[in-house]
Amino acid sequence: MKPRAEPSTTVVDASFEAGSTDARSLPPPTLLEVALAGRSNVGKSSLLNTLMQRRGLARTSGTPGCTRQLNMFQVRCSDGLTLRLVDLPGYGWAQRSRHERGQWQAMVERYLAHRVSLRAIVLVVDVRRGPGDDETQLVDFVRQAGAPGGGRPIDVIWVATKLDKIAVAARKPALARLRRAAHAPVIGFSAKDASGREELWQRIRGAILGGPLAGASIVG
Ligand code: GTP
Ligand code: MG
């Protein structure tokens, strides 16, 4: 007998809620949140659309620096789980001026350090590149922001995207290499064929429901 496949997460409602260049002017933290972080052009907005099953809800582009503000989406799944997914602007975009980089850092750091409803970041890397100094620094920052005394724990969920860009035989070794480099589990993902989508949803679900507020998604 064939093992039964996991039922996939169905998103019944997804809408853009707010976009801001200032973390202080975001909507009040009335729902638990998961934010997507990663290098510019790595595929964060595409991943978000795949998660939400909405083509084009989060804007994507082949040109780096497409998402320049914090964009917040409200998502409801068929089992009632309701949360916010936050698309963060990417880092490491060379064309950006020093002033813009400073602004980016201030905005993202303020969000990561002070957003009480933030439960996890999905840290997106290109499966062909792997983690670098930017990712290490981000993980350190998030650990400190979520340290006991400093607030609530923030999960880091590593995702290696654009899996479809490498040969099938190369995928397992590439993910194993990334796991060793990240010292953490890494989910292989593709926005092109939605592989890894369900595994990522399960991790997000765990981050949202597994904390001290288990069973509740509304904190406000
Ligand atoms: P910024 O907003 O600039 O930070 O970029 P981003 O990380 O949001 O990237 P975005 O989702 O806009 O995607 C960048 C480019 O990569 C687009 O041309 C996408 O079509 C492409 N892309 C994203 N994910 C995948 C994937 O899984 N597979 C393939 N083949 N292409 C992808
Ligand atoms: Mg984007």
Side-chain angles (χ1 to χ4, degrees):
M1 209 165 64
K2 267 208 220 153
R4 228 168 14 147
E6 284 254 320
S8 63
T9 298
T10 304
V11 169
V12 291
D13 219 350
S15 56
F16 174 75
E17 222 184 340
S20 178
T21 51
D22 184 350
R24 287 169 296 196
S25 64
L26 288 171
T30 49
L31 281 170
L32 295 179
E33 278 165 32
V34 172
L36 278 90
R39 184 168 286 278
S40 199
N41 215 37
V42 71
K44 299 175 295 300
S45 302
S46 306
L47 181 148
L48 197 52
N49 286 331
T50 303
L51 272 182
M52 298 190 294
Q53 296 172 313
R54 299 294 185 279
R55 199 184 285 257
L57 184 55
R59 265 193 59 215
T60 64
S61 162
T63 314
C66 176
T67 309
R68 303 183 79 154
Q69 56 179 15
L70 249 138
N71 286 327
M72 189 170 270
F73 299 86
Q74 195 176 131
V75 174
R76 187 164 55 88
C77 300
S78 55
D79 64 356
L81 177 79
T82 306
L83 73 157
R84 281 179 175 142
L85 294 173
V86 180
D87 196 9
L88 297 176
Y91 49 77
W93 178 38
Q95 267 77 45
R96 204 167 276 183
S97 69
R98 183 197 283 254
H99 176 67
E100 273 188 303
R101 278 202 295 270
Q103 276 187 328
W104 176 90
Q105 194 163 352
M107 166 171 67
V108 173
E109 287 187 355
R110 188 170 294 124
Y111 171 78
L112 294 174
H114 299 296
R115 188 74 176 169
V116 294
S117 44
L118 179 65
R119 282 295 173 274
I121 64 159
V122 174
L123 182 47
V124 188
V125 294
D126 188 315
V127 70
R128 299 161 299 178
R129 262 189 90 126
D133 289 348
D134 286 325
E135 283 76 22
T136 311
Q137 279 168 24
L138 194 64
V139 170
D140 287 346
F141 186 87
V142 165
R143 287 229 174 90
Q144 275 172 20
R152 70 288 165 223
I154 301 170
D155 266 3
V156 176
I157 304 170
W158 286 82
V159 170
T161 194
K162 302 192 181 175
L163 201 61
D164 59 277
K165 293 243 189 198
I166 60 173
V168 175
R171 292 178 190 175
K172 241 181 159 173
L175 289 171
R177 179 182 61 79
L178 281 173
R179 271 178 209 123
R180 283 195 299 274
H183 304 290
V186 178
I187 300 170
F189 192 92
S190 165
K192 206 165 178 190
D193 60 20
S195 54
R197 178 179 179 272
E198 194 48 37
E199 197 182 346
L200 179 53
W201 260 120
Q202 292 313 323
R203 285 292 308 279
I204 290 174
R205 221 164 253 279
I208 292 285
L209 301 174
L213 286 159
S217 60
I218 296 174
V219 296

